[in-house]
């Protein structure tokens, strides 16, 4: 399985100045739970935005830089091509059919992997962000079956209503 996981505004906004557009602890918790103990694949810019490897997950950073320094990381490898990542997925699937590779962004990486994704785990943030400079690619929803969807109203810690939905490619 290859799952794209992302949170986006009403216009597919996902980021600004290499950081997120919101602080939504409920979505962060969902992200942690959904990716826990799995392989997470991210672009080099998203890795730098997070600032560290994600614990309890195998991290793969896509970069063209053959000398990119990950010496501070314990559970991270570099990939220098999309094919390398697809090969890892293929190999894991042979021994673990339930294997799920989570593509965690950013914009560049979502664009590349959307065509390979078997599943989407999307958080829709009920707001617009006119200053955004990073976007999730346009999705043809008729290509997917919705598996679940949960509305989560805003509260004192989460300033926007969100909807967390899971999709499977038809
Ligand atoms: N809302 C969300 O769910 C979410 C999730 C993740 C990220 N984000 C946001 O997304 C933004 C970052 O996205 P981004 O598109 O600017 O960057 P990105 O996708 O995180 O990383 C882009 C980098 O990936 C590497 N790369 C891309 N294609 C490659 C290929 N074919 N082969 C080898 N390496 C390749 C390159 O690294 P090198 O330059 O090192 O070669 C490229 O500069 C930030 O604002 C972040 O906060 C939002």
């Amino acid at each position: 399985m290859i799952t794209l996981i992302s949170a986006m505004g009403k216009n597919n906004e996902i980021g600004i100045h290499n950081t997120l557009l919101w602080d939504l602890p409920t979505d962060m918790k969902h992200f942690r739970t959904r990716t826990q103990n799995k392989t997470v694949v991210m672009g080099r810019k998203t890795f730098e935005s997070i600032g560290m490897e994600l614990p309890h997950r195998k991290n793969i950073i896509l970069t063209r830089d053959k000398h990119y320094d990950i010496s501070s990381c314990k559970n991270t490898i570099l990939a220098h091509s999309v094919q390398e990542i697809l090969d890892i997925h293929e190999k894991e699937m042979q021994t673990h059919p339930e294997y799920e590779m989570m593509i965690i962004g950013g914009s560049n990486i979502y664009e590349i992997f959307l065509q390979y994704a078997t599943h989407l785990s999307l958080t829709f943030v009920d707001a617009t962000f006119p200053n955004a400079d990073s976007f999730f690619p346009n999705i043809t929803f008729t290509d997917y079956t919705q598996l679940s969807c949960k509305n989560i109203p805003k509260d004192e810690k989460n300033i926007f209503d969100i909807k967390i939905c899971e999709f499977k490619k038809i």
Side-chain angles (χ1 to χ4, degrees), residues 128-147:
T128 56
F129 302 88
N131 297 330
D133 59 15
S134 267
F135 298 85
F136 196 84
N138 281 325
I139 312 155
T140 308
F141 281 105
T142 47
D143 292 348
Y144 299 87
T145 304
Q146 188 178 295
L147 300 177

Side-chain angles (χ1 to χ4, degrees), residues 6-75:
S6 182
M8 70 188 84
K10 284 175 153 184
N11 297 315
N12 289 23
E13 309 95 316
I14 64 163
I16 183 171
H17 301 149
N18 209 29
T19 185
L20 294 179
L21 288 151
W22 46 69
D23 174 26
L24 294 167
T26 301
D27 184 55
M28 270 299 164
K29 187 167 177 239
H30 159 72
F31 175 83
R32 263 199 312 278
T33 310
R34 194 68 182 74
T35 58
Q36 198 79 341
N37 301 318
K38 296 184 179 149
T39 301
V40 290
V41 175
M42 71 199 92
R44 190 262 309 160
K45 291 184 185 170
T46 291
F47 173 68
E48 290 183 0
S49 166
I50 297 169
M52 56 179 231
E53 69 178 356
L54 292 172
H56 314 296
R57 281 149 281 199
K58 178 178 177 180
N59 293 235
I60 303 179
I61 304 168
L62 186 59
T63 174
R64 293 186 179 87
D65 181 353
K66 296 261 159 52
H67 306 290
Y68 191 68
D69 183 10
I70 50 163
S71 54
S72 63
C73 301
K74 292 194 183 100
N75 204 9

Side-chain angles (χ1 to χ4, degrees), residues 81-92:
S81 72
V82 175
Q83 193 55 51
E84 244 179 90
I85 293 171
L86 295 175
D87 289 347
I88 293 170
H89 174 259
E90 188 63 35
K91 198 167 165 214
E92 289 285 350

